[in-house]
Amino acid sequence: GSPTAACKISEMPKYITAKIYYKKSLKMYQKLYGNKGHATIACSHHGIGLVYQRQQNSKDALWHYEQGLEVCSVVYGGEPHQATAMSHELVGNAHYLMKQYLQASQAYSKSWEILKQCLGPAHPKTQAMATSIAKARDAMRRSKQLNTKEHS
């Protein structure tokens, strides 16, 4: 049950099988490294989160993304790292799907700051994150406008 096998399986509609493999890999890595001791633990949490997200379960996806982010924070000690940026992005994606646009924007902004440091402001990943921030902020404005119209 390697994470690589789970990644390939998660591309197919066999979410239950993918989740089983990711959970097995999570338990195996936690046994080897402790709950927060290695980047592979974050990868396993991210994989489980992606399966939940594909199953339209953003709440459980968010929980696993946040666990992955916590692991990255421990493993990389607050140093800018692309894995931490990706964790923030995944957290932002879950919030966005739950229509929590402020939280999405905040998570995307953290990812963007890290990507600027790691890759530079002109890198395509950094620019794509800037686009995600803009989309979240735009969705937040539209949502506020809808709420204002409903209450008038």
Side-chain angles (χ1 to χ4, degrees), residues 24-132:
K24 281 183 181 181
S25 74
L26 177 61
K27 285 181 182 171
M28 179 182 69
Y29 290 128
Q30 286 174 325
K31 187 175 180 180
L32 279 171
Y33 303 115
N35 282 338
K36 311 269 186 241
H38 200 272
T40 54
I41 295 168
C43 290
S44 294
H45 275 297
H46 293 159
I48 295 167
L50 286 167
V51 172
Y52 278 121
Q53 191 167 309
R54 288 183 179 136
Q55 293 177 314
Q56 310 299 310
N57 184 345
S58 294
K59 182 181 171 202
D60 286 340
L62 177 60
W63 187 86
H64 281 283
Y65 295 155
E66 288 174 336
Q67 293 300 304
L69 176 58
E70 192 175 317
V71 171
C72 285
S73 297
V74 170
V75 170
Y76 301 112
E79 291 293 315
H81 194 279
Q82 286 186 59
T84 307
M86 184 183 73
S87 293
H88 282 294
E89 178 182 6
L90 291 170
V91 167
N93 291 345
H95 281 297
Y96 190 92
L97 290 172
M98 293 188 290
K99 300 184 184 334
Q100 298 170 344
Y101 303 120
L102 175 61
Q103 293 93 328
S105 174
Q106 291 167 338
Y108 292 150
S109 293
K110 289 175 184 174
S111 179
W112 180 70
E113 288 294 338
I114 295 168
L115 290 171
K116 276 196 319 186
Q117 291 177 47
C118 293
L119 304 173
H123 192 279
K125 284 185 182 180
T126 309
Q127 304 235 329
M129 192 53 54
T131 301
S132 294

Side-chain angles (χ1 to χ4, degrees), residues 5-25 47-48 51 54:
C7 286
K8 290 179 179 153
I9 291 170
S10 72
E11 294 303 313
M12 298 182 280
K14 297 181 180 180
Y15 300 124
I16 293 169
T17 305
K19 198 180 328 175
I20 289 167
Y21 280 114
Y22 279 124
K23 286 185 176 185
K24 281 183 181 181
S25 74
I48 295 167
V51 172
R54 288 183 179 136

